[in-house]
Amino acid sequence: MSPVFPMLTVLTMFYYMCLRRRARTAARGEMMNSHRTIVSNSRTSPLNAEVVQYAKEVVDFSSHYGSENSMSYTMWNLAGVPNVFPRSGDFTQTAVFRTYGTWWDQCPSASLPFKRTPPNFQSQDYVELTFEQQVYPTAVHILETYHPGAVIRILACSANPYSPNPPAEVRWEILWSEKPTKVNASQARQFKPCVKQINFPTNLIRLEVNSSLLDYYTELDAVVLHGTKDKPVLSLKTSLIDMNDLEDDEYEEKDGCGMDNLNKKFSSAALREGPNNGYFDKLPYELIQLILNHLTLPDLCRLAQTCKLLNQHCCDPLQYIHLNLQPYWAKLNDTSLEFLQARCTLVQWLNLSWTGNRGFISVSGFCRFLKVCGSELVRLELSCSHFLNETCLEVISEMCPNLQELNLSSCDKLPPQAFNHIAKLCSLKRLVLYRTKIEQTALLSILNFCSELQHLSLGSCVMIEDYDVIASMIGAKCKKLQTLDLWRCKNITENGIAELASGCPLLEELDLGWCPTLQSSTGCFAKLARQLPNLQKLFLTANRSVCDTDIEELASNCVRLRQLDILGTRMVSPASLRKLLECCKDLSLLDVSFCSQIDNRAVLELNASFPKVFIKKSFTQ
């Protein structure tokens, strides 16, 4: 191979480092001589007594294992005093998120990751809790009762959710953050991270989690906020800092991930131009664009402030084909969208998940942005975007004719009538409606007009009256469907399953977890196995009727199976599981928790025979 290509790679990385340094220098230049670090040596006076309080209420969260109509395994269990701690194990009275490990990322339903996600943003889920009194936090204790270690970030908000008057400004401050780390124990613990001092009182705390390193679901029991009513007295020490010596992650936290650059008016007229761009003037336009692809969005915005040449490159719409704004949820607002608007006319992938809440983004601001930037959109992520209303979905349906993927996961404040507009998006291939209030009529209309659907998530959609009718429509209209999530669908029966199995032969993933109306005695699971040979993931969680016959049918017909969850069944024996493991060579995840015939000894024996398979066996102390 010609030596030109390795040289180009070296040059690309060299220029990338130069540009990154240049971008940071531009943003830090004015602070170089005035920035001070504050080393807090706080002391609380005897009169400023510490207040200790448990969470009063859970006000928002991204997902949970439990149902919308009960308390078992739901985030609402985080409110109040502990239910389980200090006991360890799998208890229904705790708060549990929907996923763990990397299993969901390995499924056919997994979406491709966004480029340019900053390395210090690794949050996958969140929960927000309110407390009775506003305090200056001195400690946050988290009672973890099973597989601890998921919490990676704790934030405090300046807004008081119980105040009758909306605040003029809402600020989020990071109290503590850490990269995901493996905790080699499943036992209960009281997690006591060292929190940073902030300059405003709070009664709204947000926990962000990453469960990718966990062996099983993490379970949280309670959160305790310690703080003082009055601001602690600080002992200040000041010292000059060379801003270029700061670590990237430290700097990102100090200026809110760099998003302040998006909230300020900036004119390129003040930028210099001329023969002072060094070797950048000699590089081809395309090569500079390639180098800039390695920069995060805040770095790109900073670099745009250095000179006219780099401003031209940084404002090129080709740099914004994939735009991930989720990491900047705490800062992103209408001004940010207005700033980005001219640059995003060619955007194809847009992630606004978690953004815009508490008035940060208005309906009019979102609609203005989409009217300019929506024509080329192929993928739109809006998980937990609670600013959305019917007008927003109407604008999406009108301005995004090429849209193929739409994620409205946990947008539980959207009114039911808003979902009617989705039926106009006839090119949809992926639709996520987990934990939304979509009703049966709207969903039937969507299924009728969106026949190109390949991935559909209807988990925990409690407003649907008859899932058999829905399953029948899916089987009749969605012939290309590959993955279907029916988690906690309360009333689907063997009739709906028969329609699905016969109408969607391409199904590779099917989640029927916690669907109590399905009974093995009707032959529905055996029929699934015989008619869906391409299945790679099958969740039959908490269905007590699953039996050896079903397992043997899977072993005979679904040899491509990779993940199987039969938690809670009483009818499956070790012998049928052994046959399954022998026939399904690709099986990597098998959950047999609370299966009464599968004891710990059986699990150890199966593990010894099939060491590449992760066999999960939960316990209650």
Side-chain angles (χ1 to χ4, degrees), residues 211-345:
S211 304
S212 62
L213 298 181
L214 298 186
D215 291 328
Y216 205 59
Y217 299 96
T218 191
E219 298 192 7
L220 310 179
D221 193 16
V223 177
V224 190
L225 175 62
H226 298 244
T228 57
K229 297 291 290 182
D230 299 322
K231 189 173 182 179
V233 178
L234 292 178
S235 172
L236 301 181
K237 298 179 182 179
T238 60
S239 60
L240 284 170
I241 289 182
D242 181 351
M243 295 296 291
N244 288 314
D245 290 338
L246 283 176
E247 291 292 329
D248 289 351
D249 289 352
E250 292 178 3
Y251 182 68
E252 299 291 357
E253 287 186 12
K254 287 178 183 295
D255 79 344
C257 294
M259 290 307 288
D260 286 336
N261 292 283
L262 297 186
N263 300 335
K264 298 175 183 175
K265 296 295 183 183
F266 177 73
S267 173
S268 62
L271 295 173
R272 60 183 176 85
E273 68 176 334
N276 298 319
N277 295 316
Y279 289 106
F280 292 109
D281 283 328
K282 302 179 184 297
L283 290 177
Y285 190 93
E286 294 80 4
L287 185 55
I288 297 179
Q289 287 287 296
L290 180 63
I291 296 168
L292 294 185
N293 276 329
H294 294 278
L295 295 177
T296 63
L297 179 61
D299 284 340
L300 208 58
C301 295
R302 295 186 190 107
L303 190 64
Q305 303 176 37
T306 58
C307 68
K308 287 194 173 181
L309 172 69
L310 294 177
N311 178 269
Q312 178 187 357
H313 282 282
C314 293
C315 295
D316 191 324
L318 291 174
Q319 287 292 332
Y320 302 86
I321 298 294
H322 291 187
L323 184 60
N324 184 7
L325 296 175
Q326 181 182 4
Y328 317 109
W329 64 266
K331 289 280 188 178
L332 196 77
N333 56 27
D334 282 348
T335 306
S336 312
L337 294 181
E338 185 180 356
F339 181 97
L340 288 167
Q341 195 167 284
R343 308 180 183 197
C344 296
T345 53

Side-chain angles (χ1 to χ4, degrees), residues 62 112-118 120-126 153 155 206 208-209 256-257 259 262 297-298 322-332 337 340 349-357 361 379-385 407 409:
S62 55
L112 293 173
F114 273 76
K115 299 176 183 177
R116 278 196 169 132
T117 301
N120 65 333
F121 179 80
Q122 300 186 52
S123 303
Q124 297 174 331
D125 275 298
Y126 73 85
R153 200 154 75 142
L155 301 98
R206 175 177 172 124
E208 293 186 357
V209 305
C257 294
M259 290 307 288
L262 297 186
L297 179 61
H322 291 187
L323 184 60
N324 184 7
L325 296 175
Q326 181 182 4
Y328 317 109
W329 64 266
K331 289 280 188 178
L332 196 77
L337 294 181
L340 288 167
W349 286 18
L350 177 61
N351 188 357
L352 285 170
S353 294
W354 301 6
T355 65
N357 301 335
I361 294 178
R379 177 179 175 186
L380 181 57
E381 304 283 334
L382 293 168
S383 172
C384 305
S385 297
N407 183 358
S409 172

Side-chain angles (χ1 to χ4, degrees), residues 102-111 483 509 536-537 539 563:
T102 58
W103 304 109
W104 278 258
D105 295 329
Q106 300 169 16
C107 292
S109 60
S111 296
T483 71
E509 178 180 334
Q536 297 181 33
K537 172 182 174 179
F539 273 30
Q563 299 182 23

Side-chain angles (χ1 to χ4, degrees), residues 82-112:
N83 298 307
V84 174
F85 191 86
R87 290 177 293 167
S88 299
D90 189 340
F91 290 91
T92 61
Q93 303 97 319
T94 57
V96 185
F97 291 99
R98 175 85 191 268
T99 66
Y100 71 92
T102 58
W103 304 109
W104 278 258
D105 295 329
Q106 300 169 16
C107 292
S109 60
S111 296
L112 293 173

Side-chain angles (χ1 to χ4, degrees), residues 18 85 222 403 424 463 480:
C18 292
F85 191 86
L403 199 64
K424 303 171 191 174
M463 305 288 283
K480 299 179 181 179

